[in-house]
């Protein structure tokens, strides 16, 4: 017992195996040689090829992990939408800024949109930038507040960082008062909005597209339109059958050709549908009232304009919303590229398509269109020719009443003409003749107040 007590006094209370490596080494040093462990015998030895294999394996796993991380954090981008506003100073009060289609609105918006685009494209987030637009201008005493709309893509992890960067780039842009426009950097406001709020903002404005399709100018002949590409295009149906085209110009009114209503004027016989497929339609509305131009004479070509009032309001969405009406003073020069759309015949007395068709044409000088070989003076100032003197690409039967549209420098679409008449379709020296919308702008305003 007593020996046992002696041992207790010199032995540590924790087991030997728990000693630190340093203590272990000291302990080994004072052990007799015969009791020491052989240095190498405790570790298994691996052949070189196995070590290389293990290293490669570990590197491969590391590589895959990093790759997946990069993919989810950097490549898996989401789209983010923002709305904001800032003040532009030194602009004398002018209520034309309140009109979305005025020259003043387009001019100032274009300058601001170019400045925003340049600022973002030159920044270090140029790869995340998708679009920026001026939505409205609100004039005040000696200043105009610009309401803006922005789209960026970013990974979820960089979301807040992206918002801060957008804000600082815009602030810097507003501080650099180069050019004719001076802005107030302290007036900048910016907030993230949902996709549906962003689409609502765009779809409530005229002549814009929420989905950005740029294929229209690459199409040479007539070809099938994409859903949402021409959201103002409507099909006017008589007793359920496509009869004429029409264009949505407000949430309650469409503009079309007067000659579409030659036989009956009873609104109950007509329906208006939207979407690229004429049957079954994407959206359908009923007609409340038909307003024919007072000076239209049946079987004559002049004043071939009519308005359709719907029984209820159209709920705008990506695929259905209004086109812009040009100011009465706006000029569309000869040679400008325009697009005509409709479900009309694919050739004179030919077949009708099921899906909406589009064709890129050019505005033709009225003097050329009135030449002896062409229409020999039949084209009035209130009409506009579009197509090609060489023929082929043209509107045709069933396209009547439909839109001829032009994108302005901001890519906002304006109604230039209403399909009206022509000598058959696509014939040499016989281009399509359209009602010139600028000539009827005041008549439209007098009837429906837009
Ligand atoms: C029509 O009969 C018609 N090529 C419409 C347009 C044109 C010709 C005929 C233009 O409705």
């Amino acid at each position: 017992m007593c020996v046992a007590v002696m041992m207790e006094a010199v032995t540590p209370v924790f087991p030997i195996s728990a000693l630190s490596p340093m203590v272990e080494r000291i302990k080994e040093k004072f052990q007799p040689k015969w009791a020491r462990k052989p240095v190498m015998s405790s570790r298994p030895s691996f052949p070189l090829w196995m070590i290389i294999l293990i290293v490669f394996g570990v590197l491969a796993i590391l590589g895959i992990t990093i790759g997946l991380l990069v993919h989810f954090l950097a490549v898996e981008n989401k789209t983010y939408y923002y709305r904001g506003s800032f003040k532009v100073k030194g602009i004398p009060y002018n209520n034309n800024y309140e009109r979305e289609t005025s020259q003043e609105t387009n001019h100032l918006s274009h300058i601001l949109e170019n400045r925003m685009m340049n600022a973002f494209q030159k920044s270090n987030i140029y790869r995340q930038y998708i679009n920026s637009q001026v939505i409205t201008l609100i004039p005040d005493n000696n200043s105009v507040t610009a309401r803006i709309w922005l789209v960026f893509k970013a990974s979820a992890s960089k979301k807040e960082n992206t918002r801060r960067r957008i804000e600082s780039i815009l602030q810097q842009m507003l501080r650099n008062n180069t050019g004719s426009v001076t802005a107030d950097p302290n007036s900048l406001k910016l907030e993230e909005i949902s996709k549906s709020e962003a689409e609502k903002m765009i779809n409530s404005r005229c002549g814009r597209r929420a989905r950005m399709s740029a294929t229209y100018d690459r199409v040479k002949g007539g070809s099938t339109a994409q859903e949402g590409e021409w959201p103002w295009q409507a099909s006017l149906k008589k007793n359920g059958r496509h009869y004429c085209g029409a264009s949505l110009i407000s949430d309650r009114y469409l503009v079309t050709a007067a000659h579409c209503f030659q036989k009956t004027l009873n609104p109950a016989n007509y329906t208006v549908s939207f979407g690229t497929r004429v049957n079954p339609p994407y959206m359908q509305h009923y007609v409340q009232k038909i307003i024919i131009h007072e000076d239209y004479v049946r079987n004559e070509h002049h004043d071939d304009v009519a308005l359709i009032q719907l029984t209820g309001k159209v709920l705008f969405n990506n695929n259905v919303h209004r086109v812009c009406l040009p100011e009465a003073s706006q000029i569309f020069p000869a040679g400008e590229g325009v697009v005509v759309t409709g479900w009309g015949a694919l050739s004179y007395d030919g077949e009708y398509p099921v899906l909406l068709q589009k064709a890129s044409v050019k505005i033709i000088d009225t003097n050329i269109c009135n030449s002896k070989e062409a229409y020999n003076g039949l084209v009035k100032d209130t009409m506009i020719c579009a197509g090609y003197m060489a023929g082929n690409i043209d509107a045709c039967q069933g396209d009547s009443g439909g839109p001829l549209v032009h994108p302005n420098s901001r890519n906002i679409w304006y109604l230039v003409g209403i399909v009206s008449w022509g000598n058959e379709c696509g014939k040499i020296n016989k281009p399509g003749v359209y009602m010139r919308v600028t000539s009827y702008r005041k008549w439209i305003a007098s009837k429906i107040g837009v």
Side-chain angles (χ1 to χ4, degrees), residues 243-244 259-260 348 352 375 386 393-401 419-427 430-434:
Y243 193 68
C244 264
H259 82 253
C260 291
Y348 191 66
Y352 285 77
Y375 289 119
I393 305 160
D394 195 6
C396 205
Q397 301 146 298
D399 286 323
S400 278
V419 181
S420 181
W421 62 277
N423 184 333
E424 298 189 7
C425 316
K427 274 174 61 164
K430 307 291 175 193
V433 189
Y434 299 75

